[in-house]
């Protein structure tokens, strides 16, 4: 996300955190920073799922799941970093069972 867009979108969340936690500036700032940290983690994961060679089978399966969200069923499968919330909200994609590799 471009820095200008980030500032435009982050400013309301700064205000929200300081409105909800009005009694303690430090708590409000910590909540805001935690949200930013979580978003950066999500954004990095999303980028790597699309653009990098992934090191583990877990990450490759996550990529397959995420790509299925983009190209098979964009109304389901919103979990970028895990399938947890898709299971909670009933939006999990039905993934095909992988074919076994024949040993020679």
């Amino acid at each position: 996300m471009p820095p200008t867009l980030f500032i435009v979108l982050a400013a309301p969340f700064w205000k929200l955190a300081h409105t909800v936690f009005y009694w303690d500036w430090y708590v409000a700032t910590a909540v805001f920073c935690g949200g930013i940290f979580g978003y950066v983690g999500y954004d990095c994961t999303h980028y790597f799922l699309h653009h990098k060679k992934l090191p583990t089978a877990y990450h490759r399966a996550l990529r397959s799941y995420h790509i299925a969200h983009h190209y098979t069923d964009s109304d389901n499968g919103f979990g970028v970093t895990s399938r947890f919330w898709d299971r909670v909200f009933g939006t999990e994609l039905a993934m095909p069972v992988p074919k076994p590799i024949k040993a020679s």
Side-chain angles (χ1 to χ4, degrees):
M1 176 183 310
T4 307
L5 181 59
F6 172 78
I7 291 169
V8 168
L9 294 175
F13 290 105
W14 173 266
K15 291 283 190 190
L16 177 65
H18 286 270
T19 300
V20 172
F21 299 100
Y22 63 90
W23 64 88
D24 193 336
W25 186 89
Y26 295 104
V27 170
T29 302
V31 167
F32 175 78
C33 290
I36 296 301
F37 180 77
Y39 174 76
V40 169
Y42 155 81
D43 206 30
C44 288
T45 301
H46 190 243
Y47 174 83
F48 280 100
L49 286 177
H50 281 279
H51 301 288
K52 297 294 179 184
K53 182 176 178 180
L54 300 171
T56 67
Y58 170 78
H59 290 103
R60 289 188 294 274
L62 198 54
R63 171 187 274 162
S64 297
Y65 187 75
H66 183 66
I67 296 301
H69 159 72
H70 279 293
Y71 298 107
T72 305
D73 184 0
S74 62
D75 293 331
N76 290 306
F78 299 101
V80 172
T81 56
S82 76
R83 294 183 185 188
F84 176 78
W85 290 111
D86 284 332
R87 289 181 183 133
V88 169
F89 293 115
T91 58
E92 188 170 16
L93 291 170
M95 297 295 290
V97 177
K99 297 177 183 176
I101 299 172
K102 294 181 182 179
S104 39

